[in-house]
Amino acid sequence: WLMVRVLEKRKLGEFAPRKAPPHLASGWLVGMGILLAAAAVLALPGYYSIQGTNPNAPLAAPLLVLGIGAGVGEEIVARGILFRVVEECFGTWFALLFSAALFGLGHISNPNATWWSSLAIAVEAGLLLGMAFAWTRSLWFVIALHAAWNFTQGPILGIAVSGIAVDGLLKSTLKGPPMLSGGEFGAEGSLLTMIICVMLAYFFTRKAIAADRIVPPFWKRKREDGSVAVPVFEAAAPGLRKA
């Protein structure tokens, strides 16, 4: 809020109240759907298996910490600030790759993390959430997607969340080649999950292009008088391209 209202001197469109109900609901459904689809795909070759249920599994604390806490904190920093500022200078495509790379590196110190798992996080979560934000220009949507992703994976499916073991409602195991099953890092480290996320990221990309939400680098933008625009840290560069 301080960055947008004080430094950029504009309305906080990414947190517009009117966007909250539909984008929180749709983002949550998408995030939950991704992990349910990943679990189903992993179960086909036997990588993901369920041994039983755990009705006493805690849900409130994981929802607040792994779900809402991670979703709000990481998305404000990664998409709300980093992605936008880099995009304003160098355009959407560079901002996407840059923020995705940093997002992956940010998980390298997690328990059971490897360079492969960090690459997987960068590709699936970094590209997916980056393009989801580029299309919707809504932090409500990516926060809900991120929170539902974590909550469904850990407290519901019983899969480690970015290497962090969680007691879930389902007692389950991941076994098989770590690159395919995700191993101890969780479903996020699986090539199969990565493929699902890349396909959805492609869908978001097509939507962002169709909605004219792709911002070119500042040296390719033209003002109405024909002069080259200079970055002013406006979200999605309003006034420099069609909304």
Side-chain angles (χ1 to χ4, degrees):
W1 184 89
L2 287 173
M3 179 175 180
V4 171
R5 297 296 292 163
V6 177
L7 297 180
E8 302 177 33
K9 301 184 186 307
R10 64 173 178 84
K11 293 182 178 180
L12 190 57
E14 297 86 353
F15 269 135
R18 61 181 175 79
K19 294 180 180 179
H23 286 189
L24 286 173
S26 57
W28 186 273
L29 290 175
V30 171
M32 177 175 284
I34 291 171
L35 265 297
L36 292 176
V41 171
L42 289 168
L44 290 176
Y47 297 149
Y48 174 70
S49 59
I50 299 173
Q51 286 75 48
T53 60
N54 181 19
N56 296 320
L59 295 179
L63 174 62
L64 290 175
V65 178
L66 286 176
I68 297 173
V72 171
E74 293 183 19
E75 291 311 309
I76 287 178
V77 172
R79 257 60 63 174
I81 296 177
L82 178 64
F83 180 93
R84 280 196 318 102
V85 170
V86 175
E87 181 186 49
E88 174 64 22
C89 291
F90 301 108
T92 300
W93 303 126
F94 183 83
L96 178 67
L97 296 177
F98 184 75
S99 61
L102 288 186
F103 196 70
L105 286 174
H107 291 75
I108 190 62
S109 61
N110 282 30
N112 304 306
T114 63
W115 284 106
W116 163 255
S117 66
S118 294
L119 174 62
I121 286 284
V123 171
E124 60 196 21
L127 297 185
L128 176 72
L129 291 165
M131 287 316 301
F133 179 75
W135 173 37
T136 63
R137 298 293 165 177
S138 168
L139 282 171
W140 297 117
F141 184 83
V142 292
I143 284 173
L145 194 162
H146 193 149
W149 170 305
N150 285 359
F151 185 71
T152 304
Q153 183 174 203
I156 302 298
L157 297 174
I159 301 173
V161 180
S162 300
I164 302 171
V166 179
D167 289 331
L169 291 177
L170 297 178
K171 295 180 179 179
S172 62
T173 58
L174 279 177
K175 58 183 179 182
M179 185 175 291
L180 294 177
S181 67
E184 295 183 351
F185 188 77
E188 296 160 325
S190 167
L191 177 62
L192 303 179
T193 304
M194 186 190 300
I195 292 173
I196 293 173
C197 292
V198 169
M199 291 172 63
L200 187 56
Y202 176 73
F203 171 79
F204 287 151
T205 301
R206 293 292 300 271
K207 287 291 187 179
I209 293 173
D212 197 19
R213 301 282 169 78
I214 304 301
V215 180
F218 77 89
W219 60 86
K220 290 187 177 182
R221 301 177 205 150
K222 298 290 184 179
R223 291 196 181 98
E224 292 182 359
D225 61 4
S227 60
V228 177
V230 178
V232 290
F233 300 105
E234 294 178 4
L240 300 180
R241 58 146 185 83
K242 294 180 181 179

